[in-house]
Amino acid sequence: MDDKMRGSRRQTSRGIGRSLSRGMEEVFSGGAATPRRRSARAEEDEEALRWAALEKLPTYDRLRKTLLKSFMETPTNGSIKVVHREIDVRNLDMNERQEFIDRFFKVAEEDNEKFLIKLRNRIDKVGINLPTVEVRFENLTVEADCFVGDRALPTLPNAARNIAETALGCFGIRMAKKTKLTILKDASGIIKPSRMTLLLGPPSSGKTTLLLALAGKLDPTLKATAMEGVESSLITDYTLRILGLDVCRDTIVGDEMIRGISGGQKKRVTTGEMIVGPTKTLFMDEISTGLDSSTTFQIVKCLQQIVHLTEATIFMSLLQPAPETFDLFDDVVLLSEGQIVYQGPREHVVEFFESCGFKCPERKGTADFLQEVTSRKDQEQYWADRSKPYRYIPVGEFAKRFARFHIGLRLENELSVPYDKSRSHKAALVFKKYSMPKRELLKANFDKEWLLIKRNSFVYIFKTVQLFIVAIITSTLFLRTQMHTRNEQDGAVYIGALLFCMISNNFNGFSELALTIQRLPVFYKQRDLLFHPPWAFTLPTFLLRIPISAFETIVWMVTTYYTIGFAPEPSRFFKQLLLIFAIQQMAAGMFRLIAGICRTMIIANTGGALTLLLVFLLGGFILPKGQIPDWWGWGYWVSPLTYAYNAIAVNEMLAPRWMNKLPQAIISKEQAREMETNHEEMDDAPRLRTTKSKKDSLPRSLSSDDGNNTMEMAIQRMSSLSNVYGLNRNENLSIGTVRGVAPKRGMVLPFTPLSMSFDSVNYSVDMPPVRNRTKLKFHFE
């Protein structure tokens, strides 16, 4: 009711003001209203009616809807017409968002504060309490085990000893002598909402450790502080404008090889990445590194406005901030040697050190004074009472004096009273690991991955063109389209072509190594900050690469398959297409794994090369499985190229044109190389089959199915293969098979193999009617 009454009063006063202005216009214009004034009056009436309709909406709808004024040209007379549109700020398109930002944020620092004040007044008017977070820590102590002396140096022997001692430590064996290093000692304090808190301290004072501890990085059981996720691109545009990043919003960040945004803009991107989300508590460590004082002041000023008007909680450490930046903070925490020397309002920090006998010079920045007054080498210059002898005051004594200071006593009293959790806002803390549904996180990662693919389109186009050029070279090198014979030498050529196809497509995934290593820092940062689970990052990367890999596979197969002259059956074409696609996916996954383990290009080039050598060496085609030592047998089955080689070779060599062409196998023992891995042994030579000639009285051959070769030629080929198999030429030939025997010592006499044919051989034995009388009967037809 109060809201309605205030709205009606505001509407009445607005109408009275408009009426007065109209009357004054008519008086000064002679009493008659011109058509332009009448049209302006109609536009104002329309705007008033629309605002009145908005004020009757429910509270949350009123917060999300507003009127956007735009100008349109009338098609009839070309005049400009004002149009008021009711819009939902959550569903603005890109042009409407840009128009909104340009209208309300012309000067970022000034207009941002005005906007936040209006937003705060509107929130207060509807009676909404924003969730706040108060961070308390008491008796926080952090210790670390460290080596002493030469053992602390990062040398190769020390690294090897550390690995060995870590392994022995798993069994309870402690060999190394370590000492305890105290990083933080009994640190206690309160970080309050709606107040900017600055963390100061000299180097190695423990600032980063304190921020990590409060952020939950040292203790994974601490709660996350955030609100429910807000999906709105307007927040992103707003953050870009207040951080001065709207001028480079479509520019790539860049790296050492690609020129992108400047160093200061990169720091602001990191800051914007943190504040654009729904998080209400931020622990920021040295965000001013690499920034000039003007940029640092601009960022801190925007953060101060956000803290004061949205009741956020920010704890920030800066190194030597400028005086104007230092004055933006409400509270100061001074840390030295792991102990809190002062914590409280910024206005009383100089007063505390004056009570200890130290005074800040007039032309000296307060921040610089605070970081030097606790140092042994710089403390004496700030001694105030020159009539008394100077005495060095250690950090521990400063901490004890602060406990008796009125700010320290008040802090102790606040910490002694337990926090009343009943007063906490229900939306202040979340008890879910991720602030958004997993489907939304997956969708966001899909959108991000698709954007990166479009930005890196040159890389994928270059890869495809490179693969096409290699495919052309391969097809012309193994050009066998006019080959009519199918012998052992041809089989070796085809096996070589298959091996080259497999290896070329395996190295086609090498680019994933650099692309993955380049993205690892962002991935680890977002994973540790609980932006998304790891699978939400990995799954889009894998799925969106599938169409690219499929297209590259088709390019390779269309260029090489029938040009080289592989088996012409369509089924075998598509089987090899599937195998090449699977090889590319395996290679991409293997290189991503190497990148995730090595994490830097220097280590990846070494460790990745070693991994590839092992995979190729144990694949069964460089060294056959039978010649791999037993202790490396597991490597044969672990290597993914083992299965790739066996599958692609079996698909080609078991085609009918190879199996039905000759009386013996086309593939020699060395060429087969364990093609059929499910059998214990592979026959050294195929079985010879006998056929009966219907035309000749003397049967002619143990020939192949098509009868193109004679028996003499087949036996000669078998004898020529005996050297390959390591057999003697005088080995026994049995009917139906050729069997190898152990080589004999001594001189081997050369001989010409002859052939003998039999047809309709019958052998029978008649049982004798009288004992000791045997009758044998041989009958030849």
Side-chain angles (χ1 to χ4, degrees):
M1 293 298 294
D2 293 339
D3 290 343
K4 292 182 180 179
M5 293 175 63
R6 283 196 296 266
S8 61
R9 286 197 299 267
R10 187 166 51 254
Q11 180 67 26
T12 304
S13 60
R14 187 181 302 171
I16 295 173
R18 292 197 184 104
S19 300
L20 289 175
S21 62
R22 293 172 194 161
M24 293 177 65
E25 289 177 357
E26 293 178 358
V27 169
F28 285 103
S29 62
T34 62
R36 180 175 297 179
R37 293 192 182 93
R38 286 197 297 267
S39 62
R41 213 180 312 163
E43 293 170 359
E44 292 178 358
D45 293 339
E46 180 186 0
E47 182 182 4
L49 290 175
R50 288 184 173 272
W51 277 112
L54 281 180
E55 291 176 354
K56 295 179 180 179
L57 293 175
T59 301
Y60 284 95
D61 292 340
R62 240 182 325 178
L63 279 175
R64 298 186 176 103
K65 292 186 178 181
T66 186
L67 293 181
L68 187 63
K69 181 189 297 185
S70 59
F71 300 91
M72 296 181 59
E73 183 178 356
T74 306
T76 57
N77 54 8
S79 61
I80 303 300
K81 180 181 179 182
V82 180
V83 178
H84 296 88
R85 291 182 296 121
E86 179 182 330
I87 60 171
D88 190 335
V89 293
R90 299 171 301 173
N91 301 322
L92 295 176
D93 59 18
M94 185 174 61
N95 295 329
E96 291 174 341
R97 292 198 308 267
Q98 189 62 38
E99 182 182 355
F100 177 83
I101 295 298
D102 293 339
R103 179 178 299 179
F104 291 99
F105 298 99
K106 295 180 180 179
V107 180
E109 296 85 355
E110 299 176 2
D111 295 337
N112 178 52
E113 185 175 8
K114 295 177 182 177
F115 169 74
L116 291 176
I117 291 175
K118 292 180 180 179
L119 178 63
R120 181 68 194 186
N121 294 334
R122 194 169 184 182
I123 291 174
D124 293 339
K125 188 178 71 172
V126 296
I128 295 178
N129 294 324
L130 294 177
T132 59
V133 177
E134 181 177 292
V135 180
R136 295 189 174 204
F137 55 100
E138 190 172 2
N139 299 328
L140 177 61
T141 301
V142 178
E143 294 180 343
D145 295 330
C146 61
F147 294 101
V148 180
D150 295 339
R151 283 300 308 277
L153 298 178
T155 60
L156 184 61
N158 287 342
R161 290 180 62 183
N162 294 340
I163 295 174
E165 291 173 358
T166 302
L168 294 176
C170 298
F171 301 96
I173 303 176
R174 306 293 179 184
M175 299 180 60
K177 294 182 179 180
K178 299 181 180 180
T179 184
K180 290 286 186 180
L181 177 64
T182 302
I183 302 176
L184 292 177
K185 182 180 179 181
D186 294 332
S188 302
I190 301 177
I191 310 299
K192 295 183 179 181
S194 191
R195 293 183 67 85
M196 282 277 288
T197 305
L198 173 64
L199 177 61
L200 285 177
S204 301
S205 60
K207 299 189 299 296
T208 302
T209 304
L210 177 60
L211 292 172
L212 290 175
L214 297 181
K217 298 298 182 64
L218 300 182
D219 185 5
T221 61
L222 205 63
K223 297 173 185 180
T225 56
M227 293 192 306
E228 186 68 21
V230 180
E231 182 183 2
S232 176
S233 299
L234 184 60
I235 299 179
T236 305
D237 297 336
Y238 159 72
T239 307
L240 290 174
R241 173 58 64 92
I242 64 175
L243 293 179
L245 295 173
D246 54 326
V247 295
C248 59
R249 60 182 304 161
D250 296 324
T251 306
I252 192 171
V253 174
D255 53 16
E256 293 81 2
M257 300 297 296
I258 302 176
R259 182 179 180 181
I261 61 178
S262 65
Q265 290 172 337
K266 289 181 181 179
K267 297 291 292 186
R268 281 179 275 171
V269 167
T270 305
T271 304
E273 187 181 11
M274 297 297 105
I275 67 176
V276 77
T279 304
K280 295 286 291 184
T281 304
L282 296 175
F283 301 99
M284 314 179 79
D285 186 18
E286 298 292 353
I287 65 170
S288 62
T289 304
L291 299 180
D292 58 279
S293 58
S294 176
T295 305
T296 303
F297 175 81
Q298 177 186 358
I299 294 176
V300 176
K301 178 67 175 178
C302 294
L303 292 175
Q304 182 209 39
Q305 295 167 356
I306 294 174
V307 168
H308 288 171
L309 297 173
T310 64
E311 300 185 11
T313 304
I314 293 183
F315 191 26
M316 180 191 307
S317 69
L318 294 177
L319 183 63
Q320 293 181 337
E324 59 272 11
T325 304
F326 178 79
D327 293 337
L328 294 175
F329 289 90
D330 303 301
D331 295 330
V332 175
V333 175
L334 181 59
L335 193 66
S336 182
E337 298 180 7
Q339 302 182 57
I340 292 181
V341 178
Y342 176 86
Q343 181 185 183
R346 173 179 51 84
E347 297 81 5
H348 300 286
V349 63
V350 177
E351 176 189 350
F352 165 70
F353 283 99
E354 288 179 352
S355 66
C356 298
F358 299 94
K359 185 177 181 180
C360 178
E362 294 181 358
R363 302 180 62 88
K364 183 74 173 180
T366 307
D368 296 335
F369 163 74
L370 295 178
Q371 295 184 84
E372 295 174 0
V373 72
T374 58
S375 174
R376 180 182 292 270
K377 63 178 182 179
D378 298 323
Q379 189 183 88
E380 185 177 1
Q381 61 180 321
Y382 302 114
W383 183 253
D385 191 358
R386 296 296 179 179
S387 61
K388 298 180 181 179
Y390 162 74
R391 181 180 65 88
Y392 171 71
I393 298 181
V395 174
E397 187 172 345
F398 274 124
K400 293 179 180 178
R401 292 189 179 185
F402 174 70
R404 298 189 299 268
F405 192 59
H406 65 92
I407 300 297
L409 294 175
R410 187 176 63 184
L411 177 63
E412 184 179 0
N413 293 333
E414 291 182 5
L415 287 173
S416 61
V417 178
Y419 182 76
D420 187 7
K421 296 183 179 181
S422 62
R423 297 186 293 121
S424 300
H425 198 287
K426 293 183 179 180
L429 294 178
V430 293
F431 299 92
K432 296 182 296 183
K433 190 173 184 180
Y434 302 102
S435 59
M436 295 180 63
K438 294 182 179 179
R439 171 184 281 182
E440 298 297 329
L441 295 175
L442 184 62
K443 181 180 180 299
N445 279 277
F446 262 107
D447 295 339
K448 179 182 69 174
E449 189 65 29
W450 177 243
L451 178 62
L452 291 176
I453 288 177
K454 290 191 294 185
R455 287 181 177 177
N456 297 328
S457 58
F458 174 77
V459 176
Y460 300 104
I461 295 174
F462 181 82
K463 280 179 53 183
T464 305
V465 173
Q466 173 183 305
L467 192 69
F468 177 67
I469 295 174
V470 175
I472 292 178
I473 297 174
T474 305
S475 60
T476 53
L477 180 65
F478 293 98
L479 188 63
R480 310 289 286 180
T481 55
Q482 302 298 324
M483 184 178 62
H484 298 291
T485 60
R486 299 289 186 271
N487 51 33
E488 293 82 1
Q489 289 77 17
D490 296 334
V493 172
Y494 273 83
I495 289 294
L498 291 173
L499 281 175
F500 186 79
C501 292
M502 183 180 67
I503 294 174
S504 297
N505 284 274
N506 185 75
F507 275 100
N508 188 51
F510 192 80
S511 60
E512 293 292 331
L513 193 68
L515 292 175
T516 305
I517 289 179
Q518 185 181 11
R519 300 180 58 187
L520 281 179
V522 177
F523 165 71
Y524 287 123
K525 178 182 68 175
Q526 295 181 350
R527 183 200 64 179
D528 295 340
L529 294 174
L530 302 180
F531 277 27
H532 52 71
W535 62 265
F537 175 88
T538 307
L539 191 60
T541 303
F542 166 70
L543 293 179
L544 291 177
R545 296 295 196 282
I546 289 179
I548 300 175
S549 179
F551 179 74
E552 293 175 350
T553 304
I554 293 173
V555 169
W556 177 270
M557 290 294 297
V558 171
T559 308
T560 62
Y561 192 84
Y562 289 105
T563 310
I564 295 176
F566 290 122
E569 293 84 4
S571 61
R572 299 189 183 275
F573 172 84
F574 288 107
K575 287 179 182 177
Q576 186 169 335
L577 177 70
L578 180 62
L579 289 172
I580 294 296
F581 173 76
I583 289 172
Q584 287 197 2
Q585 293 298 309
M586 176 273 298
M590 181 175 64
F591 283 112
R592 292 188 196 117
L593 176 63
I594 294 174
I597 295 175
C598 299
R599 301 192 179 187
T600 61
M601 283 300 300
I602 297 176
I603 302 178
N605 288 332
T606 304
L610 177 61
T611 304
L612 290 177
L613 287 176
L614 292 177
V615 168
F616 280 112
L617 187 61
L618 300 173
F621 49 88
I622 295 179
L623 192 66
K625 180 180 180 297
Q627 300 182 20
I628 296 178
D630 294 337
W631 55 82
W632 279 108
W634 61 271
Y636 173 81
W637 300 108
V638 169
S639 174
L641 294 186
T642 296
Y643 307 95
Y645 171 71
N646 290 336
I648 200 170
V650 166
N651 177 66
E652 172 64 25
M653 291 304 166
L654 292 186
R657 67 172 184 174
W658 295 106
M659 299 302 294
N660 301 330
K661 187 68 178 176
L662 297 177
Q664 67 273 7
I666 297 299
I667 308 172
S668 65
K669 189 174 183 180
E670 279 72 16
Q671 294 167 348
R673 306 200 188 271
E674 306 298 332
M675 193 183 302
E676 298 180 358
T677 57
N678 55 338
H679 296 288
E680 292 293 332
E681 294 180 352
M682 180 180 290
D683 292 337
D684 291 339
R687 298 182 180 276
L688 301 175
R689 291 171 290 180
T690 62
T691 59
K692 179 179 180 180
S693 174
K694 296 183 179 179
K695 296 182 180 179
D696 301 332
S697 59
L698 288 177
R700 296 181 56 189
S701 65
L702 290 168
S703 65
S704 61
D705 294 341
D706 55 1
N708 291 333
N709 297 302
T710 61
M711 179 63 186
E712 289 80 7
M713 296 174 63
I715 297 298
Q716 287 177 2
R717 280 194 295 272
M718 295 302 299
S719 62
S720 65
L721 286 176
S722 61
N723 285 337
V724 179
Y725 296 149
L727 307 177
N728 283 329
R729 290 185 178 271
N730 59 349
E731 62 185 2
N732 297 329
L733 296 176
S734 61
I735 298 178
T737 185
V738 179
R739 310 176 70 88
V741 296
K744 298 180 181 179
R745 295 183 179 180
M747 182 175 62
V748 178
L749 297 177
F751 67 96
T752 301
L754 301 177
S755 62
M756 181 167 50
S757 301
F758 296 91
D759 188 13
S760 301
V761 177
N762 294 325
Y763 174 75
S764 61
V765 177
D766 296 336
M767 298 301 294
V770 183
R771 183 176 294 180
N772 297 331
R773 186 176 178 180
T774 304
K775 181 180 179 180
L776 299 177
K777 182 180 179 180
F778 292 90
H779 175 67
F780 293 91
E781 295 183 359

